Amino acid sequence: MTVATGLRAVEGTFSHRALFYWDEAGYVSSTVRFVLDGLAAGEAVAVAVPARWLRRLEDALGPAAAQVALIDIQESGRNPARIIPEFHAFLDEHAPGSVRVVGEPVWPGRSEEEYPACVQHEAMVNLTFAHRRVTFLCPYDVGALGPEVVRDAETTHPLLAEADTDRVRPSPRYSPELAYDRYNEPLSAPPEAFVVPFDVETLSKARRVAAEFAARAGIAEDRLADVMLAVGEICANSVQHGGGRGELAVWTTDDGVVCQVTDQGRFTERLAGCVPVSPYQQGGRGLLLVNKVADLVRTYTAPDGLTTHIHVCR
């Protein structure tokens, strides 16, 4: 485990810590110190936080902000499954040097549908970056998010820090596999959903039905191609890996549409769709594309099959 003092970490090691904060002053001082320490050590630094904090941190950093990649995570990480690929790209761009990242994937206002994917994202960070030269600091608003979220953060982060203190301690609850499995929650379609079975001969029909339904639901024309791509990729996976057939269900929500694909497959590779694929590898890019174009992707692995939800917003 990384040896840490305050928010400083041994250069060139993996470290993933939650920062618990209670107010703006603690948030800003702790994250700015973390960023400046990284710049002083010659590390590449990225800050991926909600827009309101991004502007505040940019002001607090002053001229040093020009040396930092500033990312509005409410845009880039609305679908939590997009975050790890973006971090991979940043690390690869600056390899073999050390990298430091402030990432806040869980913020007040995250929906109930998004939150489980956020916890699974935080759990997978430990798996996918364990051998990379990167230090993560993940702020959590203790007062606004509540005790259950804090407990989940303690389960997904090996180290815990508190704003405006030099205290960093190992988490007594650290168990990322447990956290991931806890949010492998059943997914289902409402009774009013429009349902279409498909197989290899009717894949194009499933894509067309999804796009036509989305158009009637008010999804912008330039996003209908995203719907077709995402549904097409997941349905093709069903045919190839999920028993040769599946079922598509589509329905409207307050802010868009959900496309559900069910089949007899199993989701055995948790990092599928989250890590870069070698340019020499044939295939394996479908889930990356789905995560890129969808506003949220959720999966549920059951003993007898797989359910995937694709959310596309208006």
Side-chain angles (χ1 to χ4, degrees):
M1 182 176 290
T2 299
V3 177
T5 304
L7 297 182
R8 296 172 175 82
V10 175
E11 182 180 354
T13 61
F14 169 76
S15 176
H16 185 210
R17 68 195 68 181
L19 171 69
F20 297 138
Y21 70 93
W22 288 262
D23 55 34
E24 178 177 333
Y27 181 97
V28 172
S29 64
S30 296
T31 52
V32 166
R33 179 158 57 105
F34 178 81
V35 169
L36 293 178
D37 284 349
L39 294 176
E43 297 176 321
V45 180
V47 174
V49 298
R52 70 185 184 99
W53 287 129
L54 204 61
R55 292 188 293 270
R56 184 68 183 86
L57 293 177
E58 186 174 14
D59 291 341
L61 287 167
Q67 304 175 59
V68 178
L70 300 172
I71 303 163
D72 181 357
I73 201 168
Q74 287 176 286
E75 290 292 329
S76 66
R78 178 174 186 173
N79 176 8
R82 296 178 193 158
I83 301 173
I84 285 178
E86 290 199 4
F87 287 167
H88 266 291
F90 187 76
L91 267 67
D92 291 343
E93 179 184 352
H94 296 282
S98 296
V99 169
R100 187 169 289 223
V101 176
V102 179
E104 190 171 2
V106 182
W107 60 81
R110 274 288 201 185
S111 70
E112 291 183 6
E113 291 81 10
E114 293 167 344
Y115 180 70
C118 293
V119 177
Q120 291 184 324
H121 154 78
E122 289 279 49
M124 287 190 294
V125 164
N126 303 283
L127 176 60
T128 187
F129 295 110
H131 303 293
R132 301 296 299 267
R133 302 176 66 185
V134 56
T135 303
F136 287 100
L137 182 71
C138 303
Y140 282 79
D141 186 338
V142 173
L145 293 172
E148 182 178 349
V149 176
V150 171
R151 284 193 296 270
D152 285 337
E154 292 174 341
T155 308
T156 55
H157 294 76
L159 292 173
L160 308 176
E162 296 178 4
D164 273 343
T165 74
D166 286 331
R167 186 185 180 202
V168 177
R169 56 187 172 89
S171 173
R173 290 193 172 96
Y174 179 61
S175 183
E177 296 281 344
L178 177 64
Y180 188 98
D181 290 340
R182 181 188 302 147
Y183 287 96
N184 179 41
E185 299 176 333
L187 301 170
S188 61
E192 69 272 14
F194 185 74
V195 179
V196 179
F198 63 87
D199 56 21
V200 66
E201 296 180 351
T202 55
L203 279 175
S204 60
K205 177 183 177 182
R207 291 194 298 267
R208 186 174 65 255
V209 165
E212 291 175 356
F213 189 95
R216 291 197 298 271
I219 300 300
E221 185 175 355
D222 61 354
R223 298 220 59 197
L224 298 181
D226 293 341
V227 174
M228 293 187 70
L229 185 154
V231 169
E233 289 290 345
I234 299 300
C235 290
N237 279 347
S238 296
V239 170
Q240 186 174 2
H241 305 292
R245 64 185 67 246
E247 186 177 86
L248 169 70
V250 290
W251 65 93
T252 59
T253 63
D254 290 341
D255 61 354
V257 297
V258 180
C259 302
Q260 173 184 282
V261 179
T262 54
D263 57 46
Q264 296 178 7
R266 295 295 301 277
F267 199 65
T268 57
E269 178 48 70
R270 291 176 174 177
L271 293 178
C274 292
V275 295
V277 176
S278 167
Y280 305 104
Q281 176 179 327
Q282 292 187 352
R285 296 169 179 80
L287 290 177
L288 277 168
L289 289 173
V290 173
N291 287 332
K292 184 174 182 179
V293 302
D295 292 305
L296 177 65
V297 178
R298 295 276 310 282
T299 60
Y300 170 58
T301 302
D304 58 348
L306 178 68
T307 302
T308 303
H309 279 191
I310 304 163
H311 296 245
V312 178
C313 298
R314 295 186 186 89

